[in-house]
Amino acid sequence: MPKDVPPRWDRRMQQRLARGEAAALGELYDRFASLVHSLAHRVLGDEKAADRITREVFGYIWENPDAYDPKQGSMRSWVARITQGQAVARLRQAELGRGSREELEQKVRSANAAARADYIVTSMPAPLRAALELAYFKRRDYRQAAADLQISEDEARRRLRLGLQLLSTANALPQEDTAQSGYGPREYGTSR
């Protein structure tokens, strides 16, 4: 499948949202609400604020379904970018006047990296995630992970290496503007 062609589900979902199908929003919510909430909570560290962000993200999607550009990536990525942009804007707003600008930006960078790491882990293929979870949470080495997963030691090493490579990108510097054109409001609470 060419890289610029989104999955069929994404295209159909966008069309249904554009037609104003409330059931489509419900389906989208069922599919991505836990992702949105966990990303927002990871950035903000506040359950109520994460709940608000979740409502606002789905409200934005409902009002702006044509803002999704399939050439920019999957709908899941789009929803995550909107969430991250909204949560970071809320964090900046909440922290304004508390400490120096450098402290605020460090907090934002840390929150962004944590949110990206969460997103990467939840988005990676299940075999990679399973190997990383065994290594990280259960403190298994590659031999033990191979035995637990009933795969070869070489395959366990490969999965761990690939999973760690994916996770290492979480600390990469994000683009200057996390709310890309068509990917959510530039400022918290505003719409285009």
Side-chain angles (χ1 to χ4, degrees):
M1 174 181 272
K3 192 171 182 112
D4 62 344
V5 177
R8 189 174 302 164
W9 186 89
D10 290 357
R11 288 191 307 265
R12 280 196 313 254
M13 178 56 66
Q14 181 186 26
Q15 292 165 352
R16 291 175 61 205
L17 288 168
R19 286 192 304 262
E21 288 184 32
L25 183 64
E27 186 179 327
L28 190 75
Y29 183 88
D30 290 345
R31 190 170 207 165
F32 297 128
S34 63
L35 169 70
V36 169
H37 191 273
S38 67
L39 287 174
H41 190 272
R42 184 73 161 160
V43 171
L44 298 167
D46 179 342
E47 191 72 25
K48 287 183 181 181
D51 289 343
R52 280 191 302 276
I53 294 291
T54 302
R55 286 189 305 273
E56 291 166 1
V57 165
F58 286 99
Y60 175 82
I61 291 168
W62 178 247
E63 293 172 3
N64 302 282
D66 293 328
Y68 170 61
D69 180 1
K71 293 179 181 138
Q72 294 289 324
S74 70
M75 187 163 284
R76 179 184 177 89
S77 295
W78 178 60
V79 170
R81 281 193 295 267
I82 293 170
T83 304
Q84 188 174 355
Q86 291 284 68
V88 166
R90 172 65 63 90
L91 178 63
R92 282 191 169 114
Q93 185 181 42
E95 294 293 322
L96 201 61
R98 295 184 195 167
S100 70
R101 181 158 177 79
E102 293 80 27
E103 290 171 335
L104 171 61
E105 290 307 313
Q106 179 56 42
K107 198 171 200 175
V108 167
R109 279 192 298 276
S110 295
N112 267 331
R116 279 192 306 275
D118 282 352
Y119 176 71
I120 288 167
V121 169
T122 60
S123 298
M124 71 176 47
L128 299 182
R129 188 173 51 249
L132 281 178
E133 287 172 352
L134 284 171
Y136 185 74
F137 293 114
K138 295 188 178 181
R139 304 283 190 224
R140 304 279 200 266
D141 65 20
Y142 74 93
R143 287 184 181 108
Q144 294 165 325
D148 288 354
L149 296 171
Q150 298 178 341
I151 58 176
S152 71
E153 289 179 5
D154 286 341
E155 179 62 15
R157 276 194 304 259
R158 186 188 72 77
R159 289 180 186 181
L160 287 169
R161 184 177 60 249
L162 287 173
L164 290 172
Q165 285 172 344
L166 285 171
L167 265 178
S168 72
T169 65
N171 285 323
L173 292 175
Q175 292 179 352
E176 203 55 39
D177 182 12
T178 58
Q180 298 171 348
S181 177
Y183 281 80
R186 289 194 184 279
E187 293 181 27
Y188 185 79
T190 64
S191 60
R192 293 181 198 270

